[in-house]
Amino acid sequence: MSDKLHIRFWVILGCVLLLGVQSGISQITKDSLFLQHLIGKEQYHDAITFTNQLEQKYPISIQSKLQLAYQKGFAFYSLKQLDSASVYFSKVSSESPFFSKSQFWAGLSDSYLRDFTKAEKYFKAIDSKDSLNRSLQTFELAGLALLQRNQQRFDSLQRHLDPSLYALQKQQANYLLYRDDILQQQKKSGFKAGLLSAIIPGAGKIYAGGQLGQGISAFLQNTILGLQAYEGLRKDGVSSPRFIIYGSLFSLFYIGNIWGSALSVKIKRQEFNEKIDEQILFDMHIPLRTLFN
């Protein structure tokens, strides 16, 4: 009788343990599905709050199975909290199936933050044995080279881009346009802009990238003041109030036109750099969204 009780005890204990394990697995699955639901519905603040709860609830091994670091990093990235995104993407284990994705997103986050050294480290950490990963890695590194204005590095990487990969075709074509625009902008000289405006008032502003109307306006202002000063000198002499007033105004506008034209090159270059960097980063982002979602 005691043997039967003993066997029954172990059978019951085994059933209890099995039910407990099944219950645990079921809850983990529910939590995973709910987290994916929050991410899918773009409820990123709620997703971060939920991952915080799961980090308190489960040990590291379960957290890894739930891919909490990746999910949290993606939520932060989607909220444009890029510092936090980079931190959590970097926590994804190299054994995780999400490792390559995480490295791409981390590299892009640091590209936006202009921490190009870290960005390059993340991109280069990706396993390039997979052909898609290798193409995407080369593409992202080429974008990084454009952001750094490293033309030689870009040209080297550009030769290894895969033109047959549809997901990258448009962005690769854009890269070449950006490269040409950057080279064209870098050729512009503040000295040349000033010299042109000294010869023809307003010409330097047009050269710097200003609108035609700005150049014409500067030309007319200087021409009118110059003619008035000349008339004052011709009719009333060098000491006449008319000549002194218009001569002073002409000198002020003429010198200001030269200085402003030279300065315009620097201002336009800064505006250009900000705009084209935004376009480069956007094109670096698009394939990741297309291929990873």
Side-chain angles (χ1 to χ4, degrees), residues 8-27:
R8 185 178 296 174
F9 168 78
W10 285 108
V11 170
I12 292 172
L13 179 62
C15 290
V16 169
L17 291 173
L18 181 60
L19 287 171
V21 170
Q22 289 177 338
S23 174
I25 293 173
S26 175
Q27 187 57 50

Side-chain angles (χ1 to χ4, degrees), residues 110 114-123 144 148:
D110 283 306
R114 306 195 70 79
D115 191 341
F116 299 134
T117 301
K118 277 181 68 178
E120 185 172 359
K121 182 190 75 172
Y122 286 128
F123 289 141
L144 196 62
Q148 295 173 292

Side-chain angles (χ1 to χ4, degrees), residues 14 22 24 34 40-41 43 84 104 147 156 164-165 235 274 277:
Q22 289 177 338
F34 184 61
K41 292 294 183 179
Q43 298 176 11
S84 297
F104 277 121
L147 289 171
S156 175
S164 66
L165 191 58
K235 291 183 176 180
E274 290 174 357
D277 281 354

Side-chain angles (χ1 to χ4, degrees), residues 142-169:
L144 196 62
L146 283 177
L147 289 171
Q148 295 173 292
R149 305 295 188 262
N150 189 335
Q151 302 291 338
Q152 186 176 359
R153 172 72 170 152
F154 172 78
D155 290 341
S156 175
L157 288 164
Q158 189 270 331
R159 287 193 288 271
H160 294 91
L161 293 175
D162 184 358
S164 66
L165 191 58
Y166 179 76
L168 299 178
Q169 282 178 348

Side-chain angles (χ1 to χ4, degrees), residues 18-190:
L18 181 60
L19 287 171
V21 170
Q22 289 177 338
S23 174
I25 293 173
S26 175
Q27 187 57 50
I28 292 170
T29 302
K30 288 178 182 178
D31 288 338
S32 176
L33 290 173
F34 184 61
L35 178 56
Q36 292 175 39
H37 168 77
L38 292 175
I39 296 291
K41 292 294 183 179
E42 300 182 359
Q43 298 176 11
Y44 300 120
H45 288 291
D46 291 338
I48 291 169
T49 300
F50 190 52
T51 54
N52 289 338
Q53 295 171 356
L54 296 181
E55 286 170 349
Q56 298 296 321
K57 181 178 180 180
Y58 292 121
I60 297 296
S61 58
I62 301 300
Q63 292 181 35
S64 297
K65 289 181 180 179
L66 290 171
Q67 305 298 337
L68 293 190
Y70 175 80
Q71 302 289 6
K72 199 169 186 178
F74 186 77
F76 275 122
Y77 177 85
S78 300
L79 292 171
K80 294 183 170 54
Q81 297 180 29
L82 301 174
D83 283 318
S84 297
S86 178
V87 168
Y88 281 97
F89 283 134
S90 69
K91 290 182 178 181
V92 176
S93 167
S94 59
E95 304 300 320
S96 168
F98 286 77
F99 176 72
S100 291
K101 290 184 184 181
S102 298
Q103 297 300 294
F104 277 121
W105 286 121
L108 185 56
S109 297
D110 283 306
S111 296
Y112 273 107
L113 294 169
R114 306 195 70 79
D115 191 341
F116 299 134
T117 301
K118 277 181 68 178
E120 185 172 359
K121 182 190 75 172
Y122 286 128
F123 289 141
K124 286 186 173 180
I126 295 161
D127 182 8
S128 58
K129 293 178 182 177
D130 178 86
S131 60
L132 179 60
N133 276 354
R134 184 169 59 252
S135 296
L136 195 52
Q137 179 190 54
T138 304
F139 173 81
E140 295 297 329
L141 287 170
L144 196 62
L146 283 177
L147 289 171
Q148 295 173 292
R149 305 295 188 262
N150 189 335
Q151 302 291 338
Q152 186 176 359
R153 172 72 170 152
F154 172 78
D155 290 341
S156 175
L157 288 164
Q158 189 270 331
R159 287 193 288 271
H160 294 91
L161 293 175
D162 184 358
S164 66
L165 191 58
Y166 179 76
L168 299 178
Q169 282 178 348
K170 186 176 188 308
Q171 279 67 46
Q172 288 177 175
N174 287 345
Y175 274 6
L176 295 174
L177 295 176
Y178 301 151
R179 175 191 180 278
D180 293 342
D181 288 345
I182 289 168
L183 285 174
Q184 186 65 31
Q185 182 64 31
Q186 288 176 340
K187 289 177 181 178
K188 292 188 176 180
S189 159

Side-chain angles (χ1 to χ4, degrees), residues 188-249:
K188 292 188 176 180
S189 159
F191 174 79
K192 186 174 181 180
L195 181 61
L196 285 171
S197 278
I199 298 170
I200 304 175
K205 291 185 180 293
I206 297 172
Y207 164 80
Q211 295 180 352
L212 179 62
Q214 292 177 316
I216 293 174
S217 176
F219 175 79
L220 291 176
Q221 287 173 352
N222 280 273
T223 299
I224 291 170
L225 291 172
L227 288 173
Q228 288 293 334
Y230 173 74
E231 281 297 304
L233 175 64
R234 187 175 68 84
K235 291 183 176 180
D236 304 321
V238 70
S239 59
S240 67
R242 182 182 179 185
F243 173 74
I244 293 171
I245 292 171
Y246 282 107
S248 299
L249 287 173

